[in-house]
Amino acid sequence: MTTIDGKKSVEVAASETFYPTLSALVSAYHAYRSYSDAHVRQLGLTSSQFDVICTLGNTSGMTFNKLAKKTLTTKGELTGIIDRLEKKGLVRREVPPNDRRSFLAVLTPEGEQIFEEVFPAHTEYLKECFATLEIQELEEIRLAIEKLRSFFPN
């Protein structure tokens, strides 16, 4: 095994100063996701379906490419999510007149109604978690997360 100054490289790697920050970020994300997903399931959706519905809400639709980027899913995963939302009558596919090779995902009137119900309900649910933070604290956290995000390509 390669050594650095007599230490095993694994030990050196594990002692990097950024690991506690990374661990806290991942732990916070998992805690958020667990808390959020439990509520979204109570609303009758999966987290991916909720994400798509909320991303499409208040829009005239989105191409699959744009929707995949905004929801952080792959186009392949998105196709399955849209298929299931179509079966529920919440989303429809449209062919845009200016690009007949792609599809738009568009909320149906039923999908818009679901969006208008679940987005505010979920916002209220999440609001409880952030209630003890001052506006300045929220801004500091947001800026720190954005700074961290800027270190990674894409």
Side-chain angles (χ1 to χ4, degrees), residues 2 5 7 12 17 53 64-65 74 82 85 88-89 107 109 122-123 134 140 144 153:
T2 307
D5 294 337
K7 291 185 178 180
V12 171
T17 57
I53 287 171
F64 277 39
N65 281 337
T74 66
I82 297 296
L85 288 171
K88 289 183 172 191
L107 288 180
H122 196 59
T123 298
E134 299 293 327
E140 289 169 3

Short mmCIF file of all heavy atoms in Angstrom, two decimals, residues 2 5 7 12 17 53 64-65 74 82 85 88-89 107 109 122-123 134 140 144 153:
data_model
loop_
_atom_site.label_atom_id
_atom_site.label_comp_id
_atom_site.label_asym_id
_atom_site.label_seq_id
_atom_site.Cartn_x
_atom_site.Cartn_y
_atom_site.Cartn_z
N THR A 2 0.48 2.24 -0.76
CA THR A 2 1.21 3.49 -0.82
C THR A 2 1.14 4.21 0.52
O THR A 2 0.11 4.22 1.17
CB THR A 2 0.60 4.39 -1.90
OG1 THR A 2 0.54 3.66 -3.12
CG2 THR A 2 1.41 5.64 -2.10
N ASP A 5 4.37 9.98 4.02
CA ASP A 5 5.04 10.29 5.29
C ASP A 5 4.83 9.19 6.32
O ASP A 5 4.54 9.45 7.48
CB ASP A 5 4.55 11.64 5.86
CG ASP A 5 4.96 12.80 4.97
OD1 ASP A 5 5.94 12.64 4.21
OD2 ASP A 5 4.31 13.85 5.03
N LYS A 7 2.32 7.17 6.71
CA LYS A 7 0.93 6.82 6.98
C LYS A 7 0.34 6.13 5.76
O LYS A 7 0.70 6.43 4.62
CB LYS A 7 0.09 8.06 7.28
CG LYS A 7 0.41 8.74 8.58
CD LYS A 7 -0.58 9.87 8.81
CE LYS A 7 -0.33 10.57 10.12
NZ LYS A 7 -1.28 11.66 10.33
N VAL A 12 -4.61 8.84 5.52
CA VAL A 12 -4.41 10.23 5.13
C VAL A 12 -5.69 10.77 4.50
O VAL A 12 -6.15 11.86 4.84
CB VAL A 12 -3.20 10.37 4.16
CG1 VAL A 12 -3.14 11.78 3.58
CG2 VAL A 12 -1.92 10.00 4.87
N THR A 17 -9.59 17.51 6.07
CA THR A 17 -10.38 18.45 6.88
C THR A 17 -11.78 18.71 6.34
O THR A 17 -12.64 19.17 7.08
CB THR A 17 -9.64 19.80 7.02
OG1 THR A 17 -9.39 20.32 5.72
CG2 THR A 17 -8.34 19.62 7.78
N ILE A 53 -44.26 17.57 -10.44
CA ILE A 53 -45.49 18.37 -10.39
C ILE A 53 -45.17 19.80 -9.94
O ILE A 53 -45.64 20.77 -10.53
CB ILE A 53 -46.54 17.72 -9.48
CG1 ILE A 53 -47.12 16.49 -10.19
CG2 ILE A 53 -47.65 18.70 -9.10
CD1 ILE A 53 -48.02 15.63 -9.33
N PHE A 64 -38.43 17.65 -21.83
CA PHE A 64 -37.89 16.62 -20.94
C PHE A 64 -36.47 16.97 -20.51
O PHE A 64 -36.09 16.74 -19.37
CB PHE A 64 -37.94 15.25 -21.62
CG PHE A 64 -39.28 14.57 -21.52
CD1 PHE A 64 -40.46 15.27 -21.63
CD2 PHE A 64 -39.35 13.22 -21.29
CE1 PHE A 64 -41.68 14.64 -21.52
CE2 PHE A 64 -40.56 12.57 -21.18
CZ PHE A 64 -41.75 13.29 -21.30
N ASN A 65 -35.67 17.54 -21.43
CA ASN A 65 -34.29 17.92 -21.08
C ASN A 65 -34.27 18.94 -19.95
O ASN A 65 -33.54 18.78 -18.97
CB ASN A 65 -33.55 18.49 -22.29
CG ASN A 65 -33.05 17.42 -23.23
OD1 ASN A 65 -32.87 16.28 -22.85
ND2 ASN A 65 -32.85 17.79 -24.48
N THR A 74 -32.44 11.74 -14.38
CA THR A 74 -32.00 11.47 -15.75
C THR A 74 -33.22 11.45 -16.66
O THR A 74 -34.36 11.30 -16.19
CB THR A 74 -31.29 10.11 -15.85
OG1 THR A 74 -32.23 9.07 -15.58
CG2 THR A 74 -30.12 10.04 -14.88
N ILE A 82 -42.98 10.40 -15.71
CA ILE A 82 -44.03 11.00 -16.54
C ILE A 82 -45.06 9.95 -16.93
O ILE A 82 -46.27 10.22 -16.90
CB ILE A 82 -43.43 11.69 -17.80
CG1 ILE A 82 -42.52 12.86 -17.40
CG2 ILE A 82 -44.52 12.14 -18.76
CD1 ILE A 82 -43.21 14.01 -16.68
N LEU A 85 -47.31 9.54 -13.97
CA LEU A 85 -48.15 10.72 -13.78
C LEU A 85 -49.22 10.82 -14.87
O LEU A 85 -50.33 11.30 -14.62
CB LEU A 85 -47.30 11.99 -13.72
CG LEU A 85 -46.48 12.16 -12.45
CD1 LEU A 85 -45.50 13.33 -12.59
CD2 LEU A 85 -47.37 12.37 -11.24
N LYS A 88 -52.04 8.60 -13.96
CA LYS A 88 -52.86 9.23 -12.91
C LYS A 88 -53.68 10.40 -13.45
O LYS A 88 -54.48 10.99 -12.73
CB LYS A 88 -51.97 9.74 -11.77
CG LYS A 88 -51.37 8.66 -10.92
CD LYS A 88 -50.57 9.29 -9.77
CE LYS A 88 -50.10 8.23 -8.79
NZ LYS A 88 -49.57 8.84 -7.55
N GLY A 89 -53.43 10.78 -14.71
CA GLY A 89 -54.14 11.90 -15.32
C GLY A 89 -53.64 13.27 -14.88
O GLY A 89 -54.36 14.26 -15.00
N LEU A 107 -48.72 19.92 -17.15
CA LEU A 107 -49.72 19.50 -16.17
C LEU A 107 -51.11 19.58 -16.79
O LEU A 107 -51.43 20.54 -17.50
CB LEU A 107 -49.68 20.41 -14.93
CG LEU A 107 -48.50 20.26 -14.00
CD1 LEU A 107 -48.64 21.23 -12.81
CD2 LEU A 107 -48.35 18.84 -13.48
N PRO A 109 -55.32 19.86 -16.16
CA PRO A 109 -56.07 20.61 -15.14
C PRO A 109 -56.08 19.90 -13.77
O PRO A 109 -55.96 20.55 -12.73
CB PRO A 109 -57.47 20.72 -15.73
CG PRO A 109 -57.24 20.69 -17.22
CD PRO A 109 -56.09 19.72 -17.41
N HIS A 122 -47.16 21.28 1.56
CA HIS A 122 -45.81 20.81 1.86
C HIS A 122 -44.93 21.97 2.35
O HIS A 122 -44.09 21.79 3.24
CB HIS A 122 -45.18 20.13 0.64
CG HIS A 122 -43.98 19.32 0.96
ND1 HIS A 122 -43.99 18.28 1.84
CD2 HIS A 122 -42.70 19.43 0.54
CE1 HIS A 122 -42.79 17.76 1.95
NE2 HIS A 122 -41.97 18.44 1.17
N THR A 123 -45.15 23.15 1.81
CA THR A 123 -44.41 24.32 2.28
C THR A 123 -44.71 24.58 3.75
O THR A 123 -43.80 24.84 4.54
CB THR A 123 -44.77 25.55 1.42
OG1 THR A 123 -44.38 25.30 0.07
CG2 THR A 123 -44.06 26.80 1.92
N GLU A 134 -33.58 32.72 12.06
CA GLU A 134 -33.80 34.11 11.63
C GLU A 134 -33.51 34.21 10.13
O GLU A 134 -32.79 33.38 9.57
CB GLU A 134 -32.85 35.04 12.40
CG GLU A 134 -33.04 35.03 13.90
CD GLU A 134 -34.38 35.63 14.33
OE1 GLU A 134 -34.86 36.56 13.64
OE2 GLU A 134 -34.93 35.16 15.34
N GLU A 140 -27.31 33.09 5.48
CA GLU A 140 -25.95 32.59 5.68
C GLU A 140 -25.83 31.13 5.27
O GLU A 140 -24.85 30.73 4.62
CB GLU A 140 -25.53 32.77 7.14
CG GLU A 140 -25.29 34.20 7.54
CD GLU A 140 -25.15 34.39 9.06
OE1 GLU A 140 -25.17 33.40 9.81
OE2 GLU A 140 -25.02 35.56 9.48
N ALA A 144 -23.60 29.65 2.15
CA ALA A 144 -22.60 28.60 2.39
C ALA A 144 -22.85 27.40 1.48
O ALA A 144 -21.91 26.84 0.90
CB ALA A 144 -22.60 28.19 3.86
N PRO A 153 -18.12 20.66 -10.64
CA PRO A 153 -18.49 20.94 -12.03
C PRO A 153 -19.96 20.69 -12.30
O PRO A 153 -20.59 19.91 -11.60
CB PRO A 153 -17.63 19.97 -12.84
CG PRO A 153 -16.70 19.33 -11.89
CD PRO A 153 -17.17 19.58 -10.51
#
